[in-house]
Amino acid sequence: MLAVAVLAAGKGTRMKSQLPKVLQPLAGATLVERVLACCRGLAPARQLLIVGHQAERVEASLAAVAGLEFVLQQPQQGTGHAVQQLLAPLAGFEGDLLVLNGDVPLLRAATLDKLLDQHRRSGAAVTLLSARLANPSGYGRVFSDGGGGVSGIIEHRDCSDDQRRNNLINAGIYLFDWQRLAKVLPRLRSDNDQGELYLTDTVALLGHATHLEVADPDEILGINDRLHLAQCEAVLQERLRRHWMEQGVTFIDPASCTLSEGSRFGRDVVIEPQTHLRGTTSVGDGCRLGPGSLVEDSTLGAAVEVLYSVVRRASVGEGCAIGPYAQLRPGTVLGERCRVGNFVEVKNSVLADECKVNHLSYIGDADLGVNVNVGAGTITANYDGVRKHRTVIGAGSKTGANSVLVAPITLGENVTVGAGSTLTRDVPSGALAVGRANQVVREDWSGAAASAGGSAAPAPPPGSP
Ligand code: UD1
Ligand code: CA
């Protein structure tokens, strides 16, 4: 039997943030979500999260995680005190307890498998993860008894100068024999620099302790401040890009691009510099994204191009070309081979195949049939100050430059709208609609004004009263 406990009650003072440390995001997931995710494969019988500082906020953020038990630690008197809170909920539990620090987010599931394996084979009371770090500063140091066992852990701040030279550090990940741990937990004392109860002190009390040194020290980076957060983000981004390069994605300048865990790519995708994918985004075969683009929570079909543009919660069909300088906002659905070009914003609109919105337009709350050509500067006036209304444009229609379509309005199929029109009424299929002031031309206007000495009032245009 295996139980997992994640320590997430601390304030994270060194982050200097309103947000509890374990809720800080890293490549789109919070620290605690990442920690919980890395032990999911072990299928633990019990999953407990120790909360304290801003407990409600931490709990609310994890409300969707099935089977998670929240254990309150109030006040927070150290990691040992945190695990003491499990004595009641785990009373009678027989088996192993995996303890994970909520601020160690890069741990790999495979490493936990190894830890479990070594622990069960050795029969130790505790097996902990360790690492050799070039800069071990801030971490607890692991002291071994010479035979692969661990004699004790001393926190950085409690170490002598000599002890600080030991670069074998405690990762904050432990497998305990719960029954044996439960016996020593009440014996913890707070005679250390912070005056806290340290979980690490149980190691010396338990007697039989071993450690597993991780091969890749990046895995056990613990986050205490913003510097660590940036370091972990860099490691994570590197891992994500490497993974996708192995799957056939080209990055022109990998270090300038960021991905989310929920990014998915087909084959032969090219990611140009300064391009960022966030949330749950899937990118079809042969797409070319960037330079300078952001794609979030969106689905792109094959062979889509996105150039210097922002795409959010949108679905883009095969062969579409977006940008430069376009914004597709939530609810945008583009069919195949559409073009949405320079300085165009589309929101909550469905464009069927082969629509073109090439220049300087706003298309909001609209439905466009196939092969609609939206002229430069066309605006759907979707908001009357109180409510939003829809614009419908039938297949094959064309709007002239600078048209304003005041919604709700429906244009039939193959409609032509004259340039500069402001339309407020529906237009039937096949019609031409022009809604603008007639042009007035007065020949020799400047000459007539000059011969009248420049003082005569010009004659009114024809048709005036
Ligand atoms: C801890 C270890 C240290 C190890 C390092 C690895 C102890 C005493 N020290 O130090 O040996 O090298 O992790 O990253 O355990 N927490 C609670 N309740 C509390 C205090 C902390 O739940 O009362 C939680 C925090 O939210 C955090 C985790 O425990 O997720 C670790 O706490 P932190 O204060 O960051 O410990 P470190 O000083 O990093
Ligand atoms: Ca820490």
Side-chain angles (χ1 to χ4, degrees):
M1 283 275 263
L2 178 72
V4 173
V6 178
L7 309 190
K11 186 170 174 197
T13 315
R14 291 165 279 184
M15 294 300 293
K16 301 199 168 58
S17 175
Q18 304 277 52
L19 204 60
K21 177 165 70 177
V22 293
L23 294 191
Q24 295 286 342
L26 209 53
T30 65
L31 299 189
V32 65
E33 281 168 348
R34 290 187 171 280
V35 173
L36 287 169
C38 74
C39 61
R40 203 152 289 150
L42 300 174
R46 306 272 299 267
Q47 253 188 306
L48 306 104
L49 190 81
I50 303 187
V51 290
H53 176 70
Q54 293 197 44
E56 311 77 54
R57 200 162 168 186
V58 176
E59 286 185 37
S61 81
L62 294 167
V65 181
L68 189 59
E69 303 169 50
F70 296 99
V71 178
L72 191 65
Q73 180 200 12
Q74 206 67 274
Q76 296 88 46
Q77 295 169 330
T79 50
H81 181 246
V83 176
Q84 282 180 348
Q85 312 311 307
L86 299 175
L87 285 166
L90 287 184
F93 175 78
E94 283 179 30
D96 294 315
L97 174 69
L98 173 65
V99 175
L100 303 169
N101 270 6
D103 62 353
V104 181
L106 302 185
L107 193 65
R108 288 196 175 90
T111 304
L112 288 179
D113 289 340
K114 270 196 211 155
L115 185 71
L116 201 66
D117 189 54
Q118 171 170 333
H119 180 69
R120 292 197 168 150
R121 274 191 290 110
S122 72
V126 56
T127 308
L128 55 99
L129 267 193
S130 64
R132 293 229 175 250
L133 296 189
N135 175 15
S137 183
Y139 289 94
R141 306 298 205 281
V142 176
F143 292 89
S144 80
D145 60 7
V150 175
S151 55
I153 297 173
I154 305 179
E155 288 306 292
H156 178 90
R157 54 205 301 164
D158 297 304
C159 279
S160 66
D161 286 349
D162 202 38
Q163 287 170 326
R164 278 185 194 164
R165 267 176 227 124
N166 174 5
N167 69 349
L168 187 67
I169 65 98
N170 168 33
I173 318 281
Y174 322 78
L175 253 169
F176 290 102
D177 173 334
W178 167 249
Q179 297 282 326
R180 284 191 266 178
L181 176 67
K183 283 202 190 75
V184 302
L185 276 174
R187 289 165 51 198
L188 290 175
R189 293 174 34 198
S190 56
D191 52 354
N192 50 56
D193 188 56
Q194 294 194 92
E196 290 188 344
L197 299 177
Y198 285 170
L199 181 61
T200 44
D201 288 347
T202 60
V203 170
L205 295 173
L206 281 165
H208 190 186
T210 63
H211 67 110
L212 172 69
E213 195 181 317
V214 288
D216 172 12
D218 280 350
E219 258 191 76
I220 53 80
L221 284 173
I223 293 185
N224 295 327
D225 56 31
R226 309 268 179 167
L227 232 80
H228 295 146
L229 198 63
Q231 267 171 19
C232 282
E233 181 79 46
V235 171
L236 213 55
Q237 290 299 336
E238 176 68 37
R239 275 192 199 171
L240 286 167
R241 289 186 301 250
R242 177 178 290 266
H243 169 78
W244 286 111
M245 283 189 254
E246 285 165 2
Q247 301 302 313
V249 176
T250 295
F251 285 84
I252 305 293
D253 177 19
S256 75
C257 298
T258 59
L259 305 179
S260 65
E261 212 82 50
S263 310
R264 298 275 175 277
F265 299 88
R267 290 289 154 86
D268 294 312
V269 170
V270 177
I271 309 289
E272 299 256 17
Q274 301 289 354
T275 295
H276 308 280
L277 285 100
R278 296 186 186 158
T280 306
T281 290
S282 97
V283 178
D285 292 344
C287 284
R288 189 168 198 104
L289 309 185
S293 295
L294 170 66
V295 183
E296 181 172 300
D297 291 322
S298 295
T299 303
L300 311 186
V304 168
E305 288 183 19
V306 180
L307 179 60
Y308 287 114
S309 293
V310 175
V311 177
R312 285 194 156 123
R313 280 164 54 201
S315 161
V316 179
E318 185 171 333
C320 286
I322 313 300
Y325 311 111
Q327 174 171 213
L328 304 186
R329 289 172 50 200
T332 297
V333 178
L334 304 187
E336 297 182 359
R337 297 175 302 283
C338 291
R339 292 194 49 87
V340 175
N342 316 256
F343 305 102
V344 170
E345 174 181 352
V346 183
K347 183 214 80 172
N348 191 29
S349 295
V350 180
L351 280 64
D353 296 352
E354 318 231 3
C355 282
K356 291 175 190 63
V357 194
N358 271 330
H359 332 267
L360 303 159
S361 279
Y362 171 63
I363 301 297
D365 303 305
D367 298 290
L368 277 57
V370 293
N371 195 26
V372 168
N373 195 317
V374 176
T378 296
I379 304 292
T380 55
N382 58 332
Y383 187 49
D384 61 12
V386 182
R387 247 171 273 128
K388 302 278 173 71
H389 302 281
R390 285 199 89 78
T391 298
V392 179
I393 306 179
S397 292
K398 298 179 179 61
T399 68
N402 242 22
S403 307
V404 179
L405 309 176
V406 181
I409 189 166
T410 298
L411 313 188
E413 296 184 358
N414 299 311
V415 162
T416 302
V417 177
S421 294
T422 296
L423 301 188
T424 54
R425 283 181 284 123
D426 292 353
V427 181
S429 292
L432 164 72
V434 185
R436 65 185 182 222
N438 281 329
Q439 180 169 322
V440 173
V441 178
R442 291 216 155 271
E443 288 186 19
D444 199 21
W445 175 253
S446 51
S451 65
S455 58
S464 316

